[in-house]
Amino acid sequence: MKILLIGANGTIGKIIKPVLEENHEIISAARNSGDYRVDLSNTDSIEKLFLKINNIDACICVAGDCYTGDLFSLDEEKINIGIKNKLLGQVNLVLIGQKYLNDNGSFTLTSGKMADKPVKNNISKAIVNGGINSFVLATSLELERGIRINAISPGKVSDIPIEDLINAYSKSIETPINGEIIKVNY
């Protein structure tokens, strides 16, 4: 399987990439590293990425910035960091990428436990992660050509057994599930 992994050099990407490479061809993309460059906050950048890569069977996104801070420090600009990069970035990845993904391909997005279990100083993450999960649930009902979509919703990565995280991403791309929010170590 040929997999486009966006954010391969980030925290989660560094964990899953070596294992996925054992059985799949991995093409990496990120803002500043990887085989290709992509800015998730820019739809032209996403379109150009897909135009450069052919025959993609799966697209995994483990990238996206988000603001951390308390309620009183929030303003529209800070909330938009996560909305433009992590939420809309992943939404646009699917909206654009569905035209390029092979039939029966899959998208795997990354949200996080703040969608279900927010903690203080993480309102922006709760908004963004909840939006990603809702997008996955609704989009799974409408994608065509057998394309599937799921989200991985991990707890704090440093507290998660690596095997659990790897198994979640593998399950999303290697099994026929669709419209699932796979929660890892809540």
Side-chain angles (χ1 to χ4, degrees):
M1 185 180 311
K2 187 174 182 180
I3 301 171
L4 173 59
L5 177 58
I6 299 175
N9 289 322
T11 304
I12 295 174
K14 287 179 183 177
I15 294 169
I16 66 171
K17 183 181 178 201
V19 176
L20 293 174
E21 284 179 323
E22 292 174 9
N23 298 309
H24 306 287
E25 177 186 354
I26 304 298
I27 309 298
S28 62
R31 191 177 321 145
N32 300 310
S33 62
D35 301 317
Y36 295 92
R37 301 290 175 267
V38 65
D39 177 355
L40 290 179
S41 68
N42 181 311
T43 55
D44 289 337
S45 179
I46 295 169
E47 184 88 39
K48 287 176 184 174
L49 172 68
F50 280 108
L51 286 169
K52 293 176 186 174
I53 306 170
N54 297 317
N55 296 316
I56 302 168
D57 298 303
C59 177
I60 299 173
C61 186
V62 292
D65 296 331
C66 209
Y67 175 76
T68 300
D70 66 26
L71 175 65
F72 301 104
S73 70
L74 281 179
D75 57 29
E76 184 176 348
E77 182 180 337
K78 290 174 183 163
I79 290 173
N80 276 333
I81 294 169
I83 290 173
K84 288 181 180 179
N85 288 283
K86 188 172 180 181
L87 176 57
L88 281 178
Q90 292 187 83
V91 166
N92 285 326
L93 194 64
V94 174
L95 295 178
I96 295 166
Q98 69 180 323
K99 299 179 289 186
Y100 299 97
L101 210 63
N102 288 339
D103 290 356
N104 303 308
S106 71
F107 288 100
T108 303
L109 307 184
T110 303
S111 60
K113 83 171 190 177
M114 299 295 170
D116 300 312
K117 296 185 176 187
V119 297
K120 286 179 76 172
N121 302 325
N122 284 284
I123 295 167
S124 182
K125 288 181 182 178
I127 293 167
V128 168
N129 291 338
I132 292 166
N133 289 351
S134 292
F135 175 74
V136 165
L137 294 171
T139 303
S140 69
L141 304 173
E142 297 188 34
L143 283 170
E144 297 179 347
R145 300 184 296 109
I147 296 174
R148 302 175 297 105
I149 185 170
N150 299 293
I152 308 303
S153 180
K156 187 176 179 184
V157 174
S158 60
D159 295 341
I160 298 173
I162 291 173
E163 187 173 295
D164 291 354
L165 195 60
I166 293 167
N167 288 341
Y169 283 92
S170 295
K171 178 180 180 181
S172 179
I173 61 170
E174 295 174 352
T175 70
I177 65 170
N178 184 38
E180 297 289 327
I181 311 301
I182 302 169
K183 298 176 181 178
V184 185
N185 269 40
Y186 275 39

